[in-house]
Amino acid sequence: QAGLTQPPSVSKGLRQTATLTCTGNSNNVGNQGAAWLQQHQGHPPKLLSYRNNNRPSGISERFSASRSGNTASLTITGLQPEDEADYYCSAWDSSLSAVVFGGGTKLTVL
Amino acid sequence: QVQLVESGGGVVQPGRSLRLSCAASGFTFSSYALHWVRQAPGKGLEWVAVMSYDGSNKYYADSVKGRFTISRDSSKNTLYLQLNSLRAEDTAVYHCARDLSVVVTATLDYWGQGTLVTVSS
C-alpha cells in the first residue's frame, strides 16, 4: 500500500517557524484531510491535529495544520527544544480501505 | 483517563504464531474503533489493522492480510491481534490505538506504549 510522502528531515533554529508537508492523493489527503502525530524517541505517538486543523485538548496553539489539494501541512511556530521529534501524517484511503501513514519527518531544532 | 496497555509480545520463530492483547480503560470501549499500528526498530509507523466499534467492519494492511486477525471482546474491554505465519519482517513494536470516532477514520487519539514482537530463529 502506497504511503503518504513526507520529507525525511527538516532543520530550523530556536524560535523559528517550521512547516512540514505531507503529500497524498485524492483518495486520502485530498478527500478527508490528514492527521498529524508527534513522536519523541522511546514514546508512543501523540495526536497533534486532525481533520486539517482541529487540535486535541492540551495541544499548544503553536501547532497549526492546513490542507491545499492533496497536500497537508503542519506549521510549528516559535520552535522550542522539546519540539525536536519525529512527525507523522496519516489519512484514511478510501480506495484502499486502509489507513496510510507518511514516512515521517525528523525535525531538528538548532 | 484513557489507558491502553498491550501485552503478549516476545521472541518467536518464523512461521509460528502469537496473540497480542490490548486492555482498555477510561472510556466506553464499545463506542470506538480500535487499531493496531506497528513500528519496526528505527523505522516509521505502519498501520496494521482496524476494527469498528461493534466489530462489524475489519480492515487490514496488505502486508498482513490473510495472516493476522483482529478481534475484540467488549465484555473484557480488550482488543486482540492474532499473528500467524510470522516472518522476520513482522519484527516491530505493536501499538494499539483508539480511533477518534465510532466509524473508522485515520485519527488515532490515544496510543498504548506497545509490545515488542521479535521474529527470529
Side-chain angles (χ1 to χ4, degrees):
Chain A
Q1 281 152 327
L4 308 176
T5 301
Q6 297 182 251
S9 63
V10 168
S11 297
K12 288 289 184 179
L14 196 63
R15 293 182 294 278
Q16 287 189 332
T17 295
T19 298
L20 312 182
T21 59
C22 168
T23 301
N25 59 42
S26 59
N27 294 314
N28 44 60
V29 175
N31 185 4
Q32 297 188 17
W36 287 92
L37 300 155
Q38 177 192 60
Q39 186 180 32
H40 288 105
Q41 182 75 21
H43 292 269
K46 179 170 74 174
L47 181 66
L48 295 177
S49 171
Y50 61 98
R51 294 284 167 87
N52 297 324
N53 198 22
N54 292 284
R55 277 188 306 272
S57 173
I59 299 301
S60 170
E61 291 180 352
R62 296 189 299 106
F63 295 91
S64 64
S66 62
R67 175 173 65 110
S68 177
N70 296 333
T71 298
S73 299
L74 178 71
T75 299
I76 311 169
T77 59
L79 282 169
Q80 299 297 309
E82 60 266 28
D83 297 331
E84 189 161 290
D86 293 321
Y87 291 82
Y88 295 92
C89 58
S90 67
W92 176 254
D93 192 298
S94 56
S95 70
L96 299 174
S97 292
V99 175
V100 288
F101 281 103
T105 296
K106 182 175 182 61
L107 174 64
T108 300
V109 180
L110 302 170
Chain B
Q1 72 280 22
V2 173
Q3 281 198 313
L4 298 166
V5 180
E6 303 90 339
S7 60
V11 180
V12 61
Q13 292 179 329
R16 303 298 291 264
S17 299
L18 208 58
R19 189 176 82 155
L20 307 182
S21 300
C22 170
S25 60
F27 65 99
T28 304
F29 183 81
S30 56
S31 294
Y32 293 87
L34 294 167
H35 300 252
W36 286 100
V37 177
R38 68 185 181 184
Q39 188 167 29
K43 301 296 184 183
L45 301 173
E46 181 187 12
W47 176 76
V48 173
V50 62
M51 175 174 268
S52 60
Y53 73 105
D54 61 355
S56 61
N57 292 297
K58 307 176 192 180
Y59 302 100
Y60 297 91
D62 285 346
S63 59
V64 307
K65 206 171 290 184
R67 299 189 300 124
F68 291 7
T69 302
I70 189 171
S71 62
R72 61 195 291 165
D73 185 339
S74 293
S75 69
K76 297 181 179 178
N77 284 1
T78 301
L79 178 73
Y80 301 100
L81 187 68
Q82 178 69 38
L83 292 68
N84 296 334
S85 303
L86 281 161
R87 307 166 180 168
E89 54 265 36
D90 295 320
T91 293
V93 173
Y94 285 73
H95 297 275
C96 68
R98 192 185 81 166
D99 202 293
L100 188 68
S101 172
V102 295
V103 298
V104 177
T105 73
T107 303
L108 281 59
D109 62 351
Y110 286 94
W111 295 65
Q113 291 287 336
T115 186
L116 176 61
V117 172
T118 302
V119 183
S120 173
S121 54

